[in-house]
Amino acid sequence: MRQFSVVVLGAGGVGKSALTVRFIRDVFVENYDPTIEEEYRRTVTVDGQLSALEVLDTAGAEQFTSLNEVYIKSGQGFVLVFSLTQEATLKEVDNLRKQIYRIKGGDTTIPIVVVGTKLDLVNEREVPRATIQSLSNRWDLPFFETSSKKNWHVNEVFEDLLRQMRTRYPVETHHVKKKSKTCTIM
């Protein structure tokens, strides 16, 4: 079974923990408790293949953003989270996206998904679909609109990312050298 490291990044209060916990434990965390760092594991079957995901839920609070560089260096795939109810949180996603490319050496094949949370809060929505479509095209990244509370499109986020990681990090085949059956006497 292959194992992949996923890092969930975004501004404070956008729903990173709610998204992560909904995916890992299939429960909705109602109360907001700022995260410093939480690590979760889950095995999933996608396209008939079993994989282990190690998901790191990071702090969105500014005093901890210096840790992002450490997380980015170790991560194989990234979930960049913003709130559909706060357009300003999209700016942080753009900053994180640029930081990932910078740290990973400008490689544009890095597995990334961008996630707008709180889709169920229709009357509080600030980010128009047209903005998301435009950014998706410009950044060439998949965007998902989710609701952790209603469990809308949460699994799709991680399944898409897993498919990207499988493509980006294929199974390495090791060539085993056959031992020769010659004997050397010195």
Side-chain angles (χ1 to χ4, degrees), residues 82-98:
F82 70 98
S83 171
L84 292 167
T85 65
Q86 296 173 280
E87 192 158 12
T89 61
L90 259 176
K91 186 172 174 47
E92 180 64 14
V93 163
D94 191 27
N95 292 338
L96 289 164
R97 182 185 66 85
K98 289 173 182 170

Side-chain angles (χ1 to χ4, degrees), residues 12-87:
V14 296
K16 295 181 301 296
S17 296
L19 182 75
T20 303
V21 172
R22 173 57 89 177
F23 174 68
I24 298 292
R25 298 191 187 136
D26 196 24
V27 294
F28 177 65
V29 180
E30 188 74 48
N31 55 332
Y32 175 61
D33 182 19
T35 304
I36 295 175
E37 176 186 316
E38 292 287 336
E39 193 167 0
Y40 301 93
R41 293 178 191 276
R42 179 176 167 195
T43 56
V44 292
T45 302
V46 175
D47 303 329
Q49 293 179 27
L50 191 64
S51 300
L53 292 182
E54 188 176 275
V55 182
L56 184 67
D57 179 19
T58 65
E62 263 186 57
Q63 66 263 37
F64 298 110
T65 53
S66 60
L67 293 171
N68 285 351
E69 192 156 335
V70 176
Y71 301 144
I72 292 168
K73 282 180 181 172
S74 65
Q76 292 175 293
F78 302 91
V79 179
L80 303 183
V81 184
F82 70 98
S83 171
L84 292 167
T85 65
Q86 296 173 280
E87 192 158 12

